Amino acid sequence: MRKIALLLFVLANFTFVQAQNTEKELIQNTEKAVTKINDTIEGEGWKTKGNLSLLLNQSSFNNWLAGGEDSFSGTLGINYDFNYKKDDLTWDNKILASYGILQTKNTDFGKKTDDRLEFNSIVGKRAFGEWYYSYFLNFRTQFTTGYIYDKDENGKEIRTENTKFMSPGYLTTGPGIYWSKDENLKINFAPLTSKFTFVDSAYTSGAGYVNGEYFGVDANKSMRYELGFYAAVYYKLALMTNVTAENSLNLYSNYLEDPQNVDINYSLNIIMKVNKFLSANLSFQAIYDDNAFRGFQTREVFGLGVNFGF
């Protein structure tokens, strides 16, 4: 947990002191923290790898008749693996964390372009061949408050708080069976999986609140429990020279309510390397969860990135 806390501190540092740090200082401090983490965790049976990316986008207009608005956006992301394998025991761990913000000239608020914190862990003991008895854990939430934006009667932009750290927060865990050909292809099936959805009860205790309206949680409650079937697939491949694609697909069906409504969480991360430090990065995520929104939620971030492998 100490290593995880160190990684999260790196990202939190960017979020809260970005106004005081220059880009160069941020990169230098992050490299030092990452080196400390690797020095701590490396050892017999352990293998670590990761990628730190900083995506920047900027536009500026002056007397531009076609129109446009000055803007600046930045996204910091961490993709970090620390895995253990010895004899018939494996333990794979992955941290995915990213935070991005967009500031435009004519808006009062900086708006998030990305906000993700996810931890995956799966331990396996060999059963036969490339199959393992397994137990997994998946946790995900966001770093900062999320808002719904609108305008008042005077046309001034206003915002209403809608989400925040651990509201929602998801914890999914259970036993299963795990298959892995190599570190680039992994599949896990868990037929008895518990899923916990955590929210702040302030969102579910307002007058007129309808049960299940806020991420499926009932009135005056702060948690929703589900029991169901979970499947996860991870696949990383090289599309061509210096271009890699990392795919992750999670499926969940709740036995206790509407099992036909399968929750879907798909992520794609494509890195197109220019050289050791520069690349064009594309991140795409699609989520279907009818307790949160009856339709697909999607996000996509693309930009020129400064990358550090470690």
Side-chain angles (χ1 to χ4, degrees):
M1 292 301 294
R2 184 175 61 179
K3 296 85 178 181
I4 297 170
L6 282 169
L7 271 176
L8 299 185
F9 174 78
V10 172
L11 196 63
N13 184 65
F14 169 71
T15 305
F16 295 109
V17 302
Q18 55 182 319
Q20 288 75 35
N21 284 344
T22 66
E23 178 185 337
K24 182 177 180 180
E25 290 170 338
L26 174 63
I27 293 171
Q28 290 174 340
N29 292 338
T30 302
E31 284 184 295
K32 291 177 182 178
V34 168
T35 300
K36 184 176 180 180
I37 294 167
N38 281 338
D39 289 343
T40 302
I41 197 172
E42 287 283 7
E44 184 180 359
W46 285 101
K47 183 178 181 180
T48 66
K49 63 177 181 178
N51 182 71
L52 172 72
S53 63
L54 177 62
L55 302 181
L56 299 173
N57 292 279
Q58 185 267 341
S59 62
S60 178
F61 302 88
N62 184 32
N63 300 322
W64 191 254
L65 299 182
E69 184 175 9
D70 293 357
S71 67
F72 175 82
S73 67
T75 301
L76 180 67
I78 292 175
N79 185 335
Y80 187 70
D81 295 89
F82 52 106
N83 303 329
Y84 177 86
K85 187 172 184 179
K86 188 175 182 181
D87 300 328
D88 60 351
L89 183 67
T90 66
W91 184 21
D92 293 345
N93 301 275
K94 177 182 283 288
I95 292 175
L96 296 167
S98 56
Y99 188 83
I101 193 165
L102 168 69
Q103 182 65 57
T104 57
K105 182 178 180 180
N106 298 318
T107 57
D108 297 325
F109 309 109
K111 297 179 180 178
K112 291 191 294 184
T113 58
D114 200 357
D115 190 357
R116 181 186 189 187
L117 170 60
E118 183 171 348
F119 172 64
N120 292 279
S121 182
I122 181 168
V123 60
K125 182 175 177 59
R126 189 184 301 275
F128 55 89
E130 295 172 336
W131 290 92
Y132 295 77
Y133 301 115
S134 66
Y135 192 90
F136 87 98
L137 179 147
N138 170 269
F139 168 77
R140 57 188 175 95
T141 186
Q142 62 193 57
F143 285 98
T144 61
T145 302
Y147 299 93
I148 295 176
Y149 294 88
D150 204 349
K151 292 185 177 180
D152 62 17
E153 61 275 9
N154 298 317
K156 182 177 177 62
E157 188 174 40
I158 58 176
R159 63 182 184 179
T160 304
E161 181 180 310
N162 186 54
T163 58
K164 60 183 180 181
F165 178 74
M166 285 302 294
S167 192
Y170 299 99
L171 176 64
T172 309
T173 186
I177 189 166
Y178 171 65
W179 180 85
S180 176
K181 182 178 180 181
D182 53 44
E183 63 180 11
N184 295 322
L185 179 58
K186 305 172 184 179
I187 302 173
N188 185 55
F189 300 101
L192 288 175
T193 296
S194 294
K195 180 181 178 181
F196 303 86
T197 302
F198 303 98
V199 301
D200 188 328
S201 59
Y203 292 114
T204 64
S205 58
Y209 180 81
V210 179
N211 281 343
E213 185 177 31
Y214 189 75
F215 295 97
V217 180
D218 289 342
N220 303 310
K221 303 294 184 180
S222 60
M223 187 190 78
R224 171 185 170 88
Y225 174 76
E226 301 175 41
L227 178 67
F229 176 86
Y230 176 89
V233 179
Y234 172 83
Y235 182 42
K236 183 177 181 180
L237 72 158
L239 298 178
M240 59 184 68
T241 304
N242 293 331
V243 180
T244 60
E246 187 177 44
N247 297 268
S248 177
L249 174 65
N250 298 329
L251 305 173
Y252 184 79
S253 173
N254 179 18
Y255 297 144
L256 306 180
E257 182 182 328
D258 297 326
Q260 72 279 4
N261 294 344
V262 178
D263 294 346
I264 303 170
N265 188 343
Y266 171 71
S267 296
L268 169 66
N269 185 38
I270 297 178
I271 298 177
M272 295 163 277
K273 294 183 65 175
V274 177
N275 55 36
K276 184 177 180 181
F277 297 111
L278 293 178
S279 70
N281 291 16
L282 170 65
S283 295
F284 173 80
Q285 185 175 16
I287 295 176
Y288 179 83
D289 182 350
D290 61 338
N291 293 314
F293 177 73
R294 293 189 178 275
F296 274 97
Q297 307 170 62
T298 62
R299 69 172 183 87
E300 179 263 323
V301 179
F302 179 78
L304 180 65
V306 181
N307 289 270
F308 297 92
F310 53 90

